[in-house]
Amino acid sequence: MHNLVESFFWASAIALAAPILLAALGETFAQRAGVFTIGIEGLMLSGAFGAAAVASWSGDVIVGFAGAALAGAVLGALYGVAVVLFRADQVVVGIGFNLIVLGATSMLRRGLFPTGMEVPSTSALDRHELPLLGDLPWIGEVLFDQSPIVYALYVLTPFGVFLLFRTRVGLLVRAVGDGALASSAAGIRVPRIRMWVMVVNGTLAGAAGATLVLVNAGGVFVDNLVDGRGYLVLALTMFARWHPGWVALGAVLFGAADALQFIAQATFGGHVPTAVFLMAPYLLALAAWVVMGKRSRAPSDLGVPLLA
Amino acid sequence: MTQRETDTRSGTEVEPSRAPDPVRGGDRARSVERLARLFDRPWPSIIAAFVVSLGIGLLLVVLAGGTAAEAVDVAYRSTVGSQQGMIDSLVYTTPRLLVAVGVIVALRSGQFNLGAEGQLQVGAIGAALGGAFLAPSIPGPLALPVSLLLAMVFGALWAGLAAVLKVWRGCDELITTLLLNFIAIYLVQLMVQGAMKDPSSTFNQSKRVIAVAELPRFGFTRLHYGIVIAVACVVLVWFLLDRTALGLRLRSVGYNPVASRYQQLRVGRLTVAAMLISGAVCALAGAGETLGVQFRLIQGFSSGFGFEGLAIAFLASLRPGRALVIALIFGGIFSTATRLQQELGVTASLAYVVEGLPIVLLACAAGAQALRAQRKGIA
Amino acid sequence: MSGPNDGDAALLSLRGVCRSFGTTKAVREVDFDVVAGTVHALLGENGAGKSTLMNVVYGVHPADRGTIAIGGEPVRIESPRQALERGISMVHQHHQLIPSLTVAESIALASRNTPWRYDRRSAALQVTRLASRLELELDPEARVGELSLGDRQRLEIISAIDRDSQIIILDEPTAVLAPTEVEPLFDLLRGLADDGRAIILITHRMREVFAVSDAISVMRKGELVATLATSATDPNQVLDLVIPQRHRLAETSSAPGVAEIEDVDSAEGDLNLVAAHLRPGRATPGPDALVVDALEVAPAPGTTGLCGLSLTARQGEILGVIGVEGNGQHELVEVLAGIRIADGGHVVACGEPQTRGRLAPHTAVVPEDRHREALVLDLSSEENLVLPMLDRYSSVGLLSRSRMRADTRAVIEDYAVVTASATAPTRSMSGGNQQKLVLARALAQSPKVLVVSQATRGLDPGATAEVLRRLRDAANAGTAVVFIGSDLDEVVEIADRAVVMYGGRIVGESADPDASRDVLAGLMVGADRDPARD
C-alpha cells in the first residue's frame, strides 16, 4: 500500500479532481441561490462537446476551452430561463435537459464530424512545473507540477469562499437561496441573481467538461463522455455543505478514488476488474452521504421555484 | 413558525422522533404536489408540446441531410404503418413503460426515485442469475417465474437501500438513487467481466438464458410477453394507488408527511414500502430486456431507459393510465429514430431530443401558469 | 397633533385604489391619506382588506386601478423594490427575514448603500450605531433564526430606518409579541413618528389603537368606511364601524347579549366576534380522563419547550388551556399525538399509559395548522376523513370507496360543509369548511379525550360558532375536551375550567374562568413570575 503515499498518486488525484471541483464550485453557488441543477450533467456534456468541437476546428485547445465555457454559459442561461424565469420544476427540467443534451451532442458529433474530430495538441493544458515551488520535495510534485487548470483552481477556490462569505454578492446569493420570498419582499431581484448564478454555473460546468475531454480524455470526445460525473458533482456539493473549501477537499477525495486505478496494477497485480475502480468514486460519494447525510442543513429554498 | 421547524433531537429512536426534518420532508412533499399538478394539464397542451418537439425533430432530420417527406414516411412505417413497425414500437415501449409505472409508485409516495436505471440494471443481473444459472437446476415451469422474482427482489433491495438510508440517516433519496445508478451499471460490468462471464465467449457477457426461462414471444415476432407484464403493471399500480388502503397511505405520506404522522401513519415504513415496490417494478424492465430481448446479461443493454421512464412518468402527471399512452408514443419515437439511423443515417440519439423537449416545454408552461396564478391571487 | 384630512399635505395618499384576487374584490375604491409625523391605525375584521391594501402600497400586490402619491407626487409601485426606493418599508406579520443570516448581514442585505465588499466589522458597527440611536440592543453577530420574535421585529424596524424609509407599515406587529414587549414597541413607534415619519399600524386590537395612534381608519369588506382622529372618538364608536352588525348578532344569540362596551380592554376580544354563549350550567365533572404528568421537552429557538407540564382533564368538561403562543402548546400537542417523544414525564388517558411514539389512548387530536398538520390538501374529503380509521374502511387491504363516500356525504350534510364534492381535493375548500371536516373526523373516532389547538383560528363567525358548539356537544356527551387557545376571551367563553400555560408549564388554574379573567390575563404574560423570558 506504499503506493498511496507516492507523489504520483496524489498528483493524479488532484489532476482528476480538477473537473469535479470546477463544476462543483459553480453548483455550490447555484444551490446556495436555490437552484438545484440536475442538468449539470448535461451542462458538463455540452462543455465537453463544445471544447472538442471548437478545438478541432480552431486547432487550439485554449480556444476550445474558451468555447466550452461559452457554450456552458449559454446553456446555463437557457436552463435558467426555464427554471428561474419560467419557474419550471427543477427536477423535471433537469431530467429533460440531460436527455436533450445527450441526444444533441451525439447527433452533432456524427453530423458535424462524420470522419471524427481532429484532436489538436493538448500540450497547452498539460502539466507545467512551476519554477521554485515545483522543486519542493513531494509537495512540489503533487501540487506544483499540474495543468494550468489546476493552478487556476488554486485561485478560484479561495476566491469562491471570499465571494460567498465576504462580499455583497455572496450575501445576496445566500439570501436568495435561504429565503427567496423574504428576499423578494426586501426588494432584491431574486430572478436576476439566480439567472447570473446559472450563467456562472454553466460557465464553470462547461469548463469542467472541457477539462474532462481535453485533459483527462486526451481530446477525444465520445458520446455520453461525462458519464454520471455531473451527479457526483451534485452529491459532492451537498455533502460538502455548500462550502467551497469542503467541496475542494471532497473533490480531491474523488480524484483519489479515481486515481486508484492507476496504481492498481502495481498494488493488486491486476487481479481486480476495472469495474471496481470505475465504481469507486460513486461508492465513496454514497459512503460520504451516509456519514454526512443528516447533519447538513440545505438552503431552505433549494429546488423551490419563486412564486412571487 | 420557523423556530419550530428546527428539530434538534438527535436520537436513534424509533420513527416518531426521527422525523428529523419535517420541513425538508414538507418541502419535498410540496414539490411532489407540484409535480402531480405540474403536468395535470389538458391533453391539447400535451399534444401541442409533442407537436413542437416532433417539429424540431423533423427540422433536425432535415439539417442532418434527410428530407421531411422521407422522415415522415419512415416515422409512419416504423410505428403504425407496418407490422414490423408496430412490433418494434411495442418492444421499445416495454421497458420504458415498466420504469414509468415503477417510478410513479415512488413519486406518488413522495419519494424521488431517480434510480430506475440502477434498479433495472440489478434487475437484469437477477434475471440472468435466474435464467442462465439457476434455471437449469430447477423444474422448467418455474424457471421464468423464479427469474422474474429474482429480478424483482434485486430491484426492490436496490431501491430499498436508498429508502433505508433516507429513513435511517436522512440521506436525500434523490442523490442516493442517482449514485446507485452508476454503482449498478458498474456492477453489471463487474458481473460480466468476472463472476458471471461466459467462459466460452470472448465478449464480456453472461451465458445465454436457457430456453424455458425466456419470455415467450408472440408468434414468430420479436415481441415478447414483457409488454403484457407492463400493461398488467399499469393496472396493478393504478389499483394499488387508488383502491387499496396501502395506496391511500402512500399517497397521503407523499403529499404531506407531517399531517400523515398526525393521523398515525408510519412514515418511515411507508417510505421503505414505496421504494421496495417501485424498485421491484423498475427491475422488471431489466428482466424483460434480459429474458426477452438480449437473452443474456450484457453491458449497456439499457440506453438510459431509466431516465426516459422518468420523463414518461412526468408527462403522464404520475398517472399509470396516461403513462401507457405516453410510453407508446415514446416507443414509436424510438422505433422511428432507430430506423432513421438505418435508412437515412440520422443518429438515433435524435430520440432523446424529441423525448426531452416536451417535458421542458410543459414544465415551463406549468411554472409560468403557477406564477401567473400566484400573482393574480387565484392559486 | 393635527387630524387627518384637515388640509395638511398627506405624505402618502391613495385615490380610488382597487385590487382583486380572481373574482374577489379585496380592496375597492379606497381613498386613504396618511400624514407625516403620525401613527395611523388601520382597523377591520379578518378579511376586511387591511393587509391587502398595505400590500398594494408596498407593491406586493400591485393595484389594479387607482393612484398612489407620495408627498403629492404620483408614483407607480409595482414591486417591493419600487416601494423601498420610494421610502416605504413594511414589517410583515410573518417576518420577511432569513433565519440563516446574522443580524448585521440582514441589515446590510436590505441596505441601499452596502459596498461590494461585505465587511463584518463595519457592518456590525452600523448595526450598533442604528440600534443605539433607537435605544435598542441587538447583537450584530446573532443569527436571525435564534432571535426572539420581538427582536426580529426590532431588526426589521432598524433595517427600515437604515434605508431611511419615511413611511413604515406594520402588519399586526403585536400579534406575535409577549404583552411585555408591546409597550416598548409603541414607544419606539411614537419616537419614529415624532421624527417626522408616517407609521401605519394594522391591528384589530382596540386597546392598542387608543394607546398609540393619532388617526384611525376603518375598513370593512374591502372598503374604507371612515377615518377619524383618535382624540375625537371612542372605542364604542370605532367598534360600531368595524362590526355594525354586532348588536344584531347579540340579539339573535340564544345566550345573554353582548354587553355594551364599558372599557377599552374588554372590547378587544369582540373583534373576533365570539358571539355565541355556549357555557351550560356547570355539570358535575366526571372522573379524570387525561392525566399529563411532568412532561419535559427541550426548548428551541422561538419556543420554551415543556418543563414539567402537568394537567388533568375530566370527562364531560372543556378544559381551556390558555397561553401566548410559543409557550409549549405545540410541543404538548405533538407529544399527545405521538409525533414527538417527550424527554420526560408521562401521559395517561382513561387509565391507560401512552405508548411511546403513538397517539395517547382513546384520544383524538386536532392540531393547530390545518394545512400542514391536519389535512392532506391534495387528497379528497373522503380520503382525508378515513385516514385515521383506514381499518374500518378496508377489508383485506381494499378500500371500500362506497362506504367512504356515504359516510363523507353524511358528514358534509351534518356539518353543513360547503364543498364541490366528497371527491374534490380539500385544498379547494375554505378554512372554515376544512376545520369542520377535521373536527368531524376527530369526533368520528368517538374519542374519550379530544385535544384541539387554536381551533377557530382564521374562521369566520359562523364557522367559529359551529366549531365551538360541536365541542360543547362533545363535552356534554362525556368527552374530555382540551381546548388550547391563545385568545383569552374565547377560552373564557367556552371553558368550564381553565389553566394558563406559560414557559412550558401550567402556572395557574381557575375553576371559574369568567370571574377570574383578569388574573388569567396576568398569568398569561408571566405576572408574579420572573419577567425575564428569553
Side-chain angles (χ1 to χ4, degrees):
Chain A
M1 291 308 263
H2 64 280
N3 290 301
L4 284 180
V5 295
E6 265 184 21
S7 60
F8 164 72
F9 173 70
W10 286 105
S12 314
I14 287 181
L16 291 170
I20 303 268
L21 178 53
L22 261 176
L25 282 179
E27 182 63 16
T28 300
F29 272 79
Q31 295 202 5
R32 280 276 186 176
V35 185
F36 186 82
T37 327
I38 296 221
I40 191 137
E41 173 87 5
L43 289 171
M44 288 170 76
L45 187 57
S46 68
F49 175 77
V54 176
S56 169
W57 273 327
S58 65
D60 186 336
V61 284
I62 302 295
V63 178
F65 197 87
L70 187 67
V74 171
L75 283 179
L78 280 175
Y79 196 93
V81 168
V83 299
V84 178
L85 299 188
F86 277 100
R87 269 75 162 174
D89 187 275
Q90 298 181 1
V91 175
V92 176
V93 168
I95 301 289
F97 180 83
N98 288 344
L99 274 178
I100 295 172
V101 173
L102 180 62
T105 49
S106 163
M107 282 194 75
L108 287 171
R109 183 179 67 82
R110 301 208 192 157
L112 299 176
F113 303 94
T115 56
M117 297 179 177
E118 269 182 54
V119 184
S121 158
T122 57
S123 61
L125 295 175
D126 283 351
R127 295 188 312 176
H128 294 278
E129 192 181 324
L130 288 189
L132 296 175
L133 285 170
D135 295 336
L136 292 168
W138 202 82
I139 292 185
E141 292 164 44
V142 172
L143 294 179
F144 301 113
D145 184 11
Q146 293 281 7
S147 153
I149 297 166
V150 174
Y151 298 137
L153 279 168
Y154 291 164
V155 180
L156 218 51
T157 308
F159 178 70
V161 177
F162 173 76
L163 198 63
L164 197 53
F165 298 108
R166 290 283 176 272
T167 67
R168 180 168 170 76
V169 169
L171 193 54
L172 286 169
V173 166
R174 285 183 289 140
V176 160
D178 241 347
L181 273 174
S183 303
S184 179
I188 296 167
R189 294 181 181 130
V190 177
R192 177 183 291 204
I193 290 164
R194 286 186 170 172
M195 277 304 289
W196 276 116
V197 165
M198 279 313 295
V199 170
V200 171
N201 190 14
T203 308
L204 289 175
T211 311
L212 278 178
V213 69
L214 297 177
V215 180
N216 298 29
V220 182
F221 180 84
V222 294
D223 286 355
N224 197 17
L225 175 106
V226 177
D227 197 22
R229 283 189 189 79
Y231 304 125
L232 272 186
V233 166
L234 284 181
L236 169 61
T237 307
M238 297 179 86
F239 74 67
R241 301 180 195 177
W242 302 274
H243 190 293
W246 291 111
V247 167
L249 194 69
V252 172
L253 282 179
F254 281 155
D258 236 350
L260 276 178
Q261 55 188 306
F262 295 141
I263 59 167
Q265 295 300 328
T267 310
F268 307 107
H271 295 307
V272 183
T274 50
V276 173
F277 300 108
L278 294 171
M279 205 190 283
Y282 299 95
L283 281 172
L284 180 74
L286 195 66
W289 255 106
V290 174
V291 175
M292 309 289 288
K294 206 176 207 172
R295 269 177 285 166
S296 44
R297 204 194 71 81
S300 326
D301 283 335
L302 181 57
V304 184
L306 170 74
L307 291 182
Chain B
M1 300 284 152
T2 24
Q3 310 79 14
R4 240 176 242 140
E5 296 168 353
T6 8
D7 191 329
T8 47
R9 299 183 56 95
S10 50
T12 49
E13 285 152 318
V14 276
E15 237 178 76
S17 64
R18 200 183 300 117
D21 213 340
V23 193
R24 289 284 293 149
D27 281 351
R28 187 46 66 62
R30 240 185 289 141
S31 71
V32 174
E33 283 172 34
R34 266 203 329 262
L35 275 184
R37 267 178 291 156
L38 180 60
F39 294 107
D40 207 0
R41 310 178 65 74
W43 277 105
S45 71
I46 297 180
I47 292 167
F50 269 108
V51 168
V52 170
S53 152
L54 289 171
I56 290 176
L58 208 57
L59 189 70
L60 289 175
V61 171
V62 171
L63 288 178
T67 70
E70 283 171 325
V72 171
D73 177 52
V74 170
Y76 177 70
R77 279 187 288 119
S78 25
T79 52
V80 290
S82 72
Q83 195 202 10
Q84 189 55 44
M86 274 194 264
I87 285 166
D88 285 345
S89 298
L90 287 175
V91 170
Y92 292 128
T93 297
T94 306
R96 292 166 176 81
L97 179 56
L98 279 164
V99 167
V101 289
V103 296
I104 281 173
V105 175
L107 286 167
R108 287 287 282 271
S109 313
Q111 311 307 317
F112 271 71
N113 178 11
L114 302 194
E117 183 68 31
Q119 290 142 26
L120 72 87
Q121 296 275 348
V122 296
I125 295 178
L129 197 62
F133 291 83
L134 283 182
S137 49
I138 55 178
L142 284 180
L144 179 59
V146 165
S147 304
L148 290 175
L149 192 69
L150 217 49
M152 290 174 74
V153 170
F154 276 36
L157 291 178
W158 202 249
L161 180 59
V164 169
L165 288 179
K166 179 182 186 179
V167 174
W168 170 51
R169 296 295 304 167
C171 299
D172 194 334
E173 79 282 7
L174 194 145
I175 296 292
T176 49
T177 52
L178 277 174
L179 293 174
L180 284 168
N181 282 343
F182 293 91
I183 297 174
I185 288 170
Y186 292 122
L187 198 62
V188 169
Q189 186 178 341
L190 191 62
M191 288 294 148
V192 296
Q193 279 179 348
M196 290 170 73
K197 186 170 172 13
D198 178 1
S200 65
S201 164
T202 50
F203 297 109
N204 283 338
Q205 59 185 28
S206 78
K207 279 190 296 191
R208 196 178 189 291
V209 169
I210 64 165
V212 284
E214 284 177 19
L215 278 166
R217 269 160 283 169
F218 289 94
F220 295 100
T221 68
R222 66 189 202 99
L223 181 61
H224 57 90
Y225 270 70
I227 189 72
V228 177
I229 296 177
V231 173
C233 282
V234 170
V235 177
L236 285 173
V237 164
W238 168 81
F239 189 81
L240 168 75
L241 291 174
D242 204 60
R243 293 290 141 133
T244 68
L246 175 63
L248 178 52
R249 289 193 176 99
L250 289 175
R251 284 184 294 133
S252 176
V253 168
Y255 284 129
N256 188 342
V258 177
S260 300
R261 266 153 34 93
Y262 271 97
Q263 299 312 318
Q264 307 303 306
L265 302 190
R266 298 181 182 247
V267 175
R269 288 182 198 187
L270 289 167
T271 298
V272 175
M275 288 295 275
L276 289 176
I277 299 171
S278 175
V281 178
C282 291
L284 283 176
E289 293 303 290
T290 306
L291 304 174
V293 179
Q294 310 287 358
F295 306 114
R296 45 178 104 231
L297 184 63
I298 61 164
Q299 222 182 306
F301 69 88
S302 160
S303 55
F305 301 145
F307 288 103
E308 287 180 74
L310 262 174
I312 292 170
F314 290 148
L315 284 171
S317 329
L318 310 184
R319 293 181 192 180
R322 286 191 180 190
L324 176 60
V325 178
I326 309 270
L328 285 170
I329 296 175
F330 271 43
I333 291 172
F334 210 85
S335 166
T336 305
T338 311
R339 197 171 286 211
L340 278 173
Q341 176 157 345
Q342 290 161 0
E343 296 189 8
L344 302 182
V346 180
T347 320
S349 319
L350 171 67
Y352 297 127
V353 180
V354 179
E355 290 169 355
L357 267 171
I359 320 181
V360 175
L361 292 175
L362 283 175
C364 286
Q369 193 186 20
L371 178 64
R372 230 180 7 253
Q374 178 72 29
R375 286 196 175 149
K376 280 193 190 153
I378 44 173
Chain C
M1 191 65 49
S2 50
N5 296 336
D6 60 355
D8 270 330
L11 181 57
L12 174 71
S13 162
L14 311 186
R15 287 292 172 270
V17 166
C18 297
R19 168 73 204 201
S20 303
F21 294 109
T23 53
T24 319
K25 288 180 175 149
V27 167
R28 34 181 119 184
E29 298 292 338
V30 166
D31 297 345
F32 181 58
D33 293 283
V34 181
V35 180
T38 64
V39 176
H40 197 122
L42 187 56
L43 268 90
E45 275 187 285
N46 286 340
K50 304 168 301 216
S51 295
T52 308
L53 182 65
M54 288 302 106
N55 277 328
V56 166
V57 173
Y58 190 59
V60 177
H61 304 309
D64 297 331
R65 262 186 302 135
T67 58
I68 302 175
I70 293 173
E73 183 194 336
V75 292
R76 291 179 68 80
I77 299 177
E78 274 158 6
S79 69
R81 189 181 181 83
Q82 290 171 349
L84 288 165
E85 280 166 3
R86 308 282 183 198
I88 302 170
S89 284
M90 183 156 173
V91 179
H92 288 85
Q93 201 171 355
H94 301 290
H95 291 277
Q96 301 287 338
L97 288 167
I98 296 154
S100 60
L101 300 185
T102 66
V103 167
E105 284 175 338
S106 303
I107 290 186
L109 186 68
S111 174
R112 280 200 233 188
N113 42 14
T114 312
W116 71 273
R117 174 144 187 240
Y118 171 74
D119 180 52
R120 214 181 256 193
R121 229 170 320 162
S122 64
L125 215 64
Q126 168 76 352
V127 175
T128 321
R129 201 170 51 72
L130 280 164
S132 66
R133 213 168 83 198
L134 300 172
E135 294 170 0
L136 299 174
E137 264 181 53
L138 263 186
D139 174 9
E141 290 295 308
R143 298 247 166 232
V144 171
E146 287 155 15
L147 296 181
S148 74
L149 293 173
D151 275 341
R152 291 189 202 194
Q153 202 166 61
R154 286 186 271 281
L155 169 57
E156 286 207 73
I157 294 171
I158 289 182
S159 191
I161 306 303
D162 177 61
R163 285 188 302 249
D164 200 26
S165 292
Q166 291 304 306
I167 300 169
I168 301 176
I169 304 165
L170 297 102
D171 189 357
E172 301 203 24
T174 57
V176 293
L177 293 187
T180 46
E181 291 177 310
V182 172
E183 208 50 46
L185 171 70
F186 286 171
D187 290 343
L188 177 59
L189 295 183
R190 282 252 49 99
L192 294 177
D194 291 344
D195 285 350
R197 293 183 168 85
I199 310 294
I200 303 173
L201 183 69
I202 301 178
T203 181
H204 57 220
R205 299 190 179 182
M206 199 65 65
R207 172 169 33 192
E208 297 171 358
V209 172
F210 282 86
V212 72
S213 74
D214 301 300
I216 301 171
S217 290
V218 177
M219 288 192 74
R220 202 165 63 219
K221 292 179 181 162
E223 289 173 0
L224 198 121
V225 291
T227 296
L228 311 157
T230 310
S231 54
T233 183
D234 64 83
N236 265 318
Q237 189 191 354
V238 174
L239 204 56
D240 282 339
L241 284 167
V242 175
I243 319 165
Q245 72 275 36
R246 72 189 171 111
H247 294 289
R248 197 168 46 77
L249 262 179
E251 282 153 24
T252 53
S253 162
S254 58
V258 174
E260 191 66 10
I261 306 296
E262 296 292 325
D263 65 338
V264 176
D265 278 10
S266 59
E268 204 174 303
D270 266 27
L271 292 192
N272 290 325
L273 262 181
V274 184
H277 283 246
L278 297 153
R279 183 109 36 83
R282 205 150 286 137
T284 42
D288 292 352
L290 175 72
V291 179
V292 174
D293 182 35
L295 283 188
E296 298 278 346
V297 168
T303 168
T304 60
L306 296 177
C307 34
L309 178 128
S310 302
L311 60 77
T312 303
R314 287 171 284 200
Q315 281 180 20
E317 73 167 359
I318 298 185
L319 172 69
V321 178
I322 172 81
V324 176
E325 276 180 71
N327 277 292
Q329 293 94 331
H330 195 255
E331 286 80 356
L332 174 61
V333 172
E334 284 183 328
V335 169
L336 291 175
I339 301 292
R340 182 191 284 273
I341 293 173
D343 300 324
H346 308 276
V347 174
V348 177
C350 303
E352 295 174 36
Q354 179 183 21
T355 315
R356 232 165 106 83
R358 302 303 290 167
L359 179 69
H362 310 290
T363 301
V365 168
V366 174
E368 63 176 69
D369 187 334
R370 272 190 295 280
H371 292 178
R372 222 174 74 85
E373 298 166 343
L375 286 174
V376 181
L377 291 176
D378 285 275
L379 294 182
S380 65
S381 305
E382 62 180 34
E383 288 170 332
N384 268 294
L385 200 67
V386 303
L387 268 185
M389 314 167 261
L390 270 175
D391 295 339
R392 262 196 242 167
Y393 289 91
S394 60
S395 57
V396 287
L398 304 184
L399 286 179
S400 166
R401 284 266 175 194
S402 54
R403 221 140 31 88
M404 284 166 63
R405 199 149 308 165
D407 287 5
T408 308
R409 290 209 175 116
V411 163
I412 287 174
E413 204 159 305
D414 184 16
Y415 284 73
V417 175
V418 181
T419 175
S421 77
T423 52
T426 46
R427 177 182 298 285
S428 59
M429 294 161 60
S430 75
N433 289 310
Q434 290 175 341
Q435 189 70 343
K436 287 184 203 167
L437 190 70
V438 171
L439 192 64
R441 174 174 68 186
L443 289 172
Q445 299 168 69
S446 333
K448 294 188 175 135
V449 178
L450 175 62
V451 180
V452 297
S453 183
Q454 318 291 353
T456 62
R457 177 183 290 163
L459 302 194
D460 62 42
T464 300
E466 172 74 8
V467 166
L468 296 182
R469 189 174 67 77
R470 294 281 174 174
L471 292 177
R472 174 48 68 195
D473 289 349
N476 288 345
T479 307
V481 178
V482 178
F483 184 90
I484 301 173
S486 53
D487 181 338
L488 178 56
D489 295 285
E490 187 179 79
V491 175
V492 163
E493 192 82 40
I494 182 138
D496 299 311
R497 196 160 61 89
V499 294
V500 178
M501 217 171 149
Y502 181 80
R505 74 191 99 180
I506 301 300
V507 295
E509 179 176 341
S510 163
D512 184 2
D514 220 0
S516 48
R517 189 190 179 285
D518 292 344
V519 182
L520 294 176
L523 289 169
M524 268 176 87
V525 300
D528 305 318
R529 304 202 130 247
D530 183 6
R533 192 179 82 100
D534 42 340

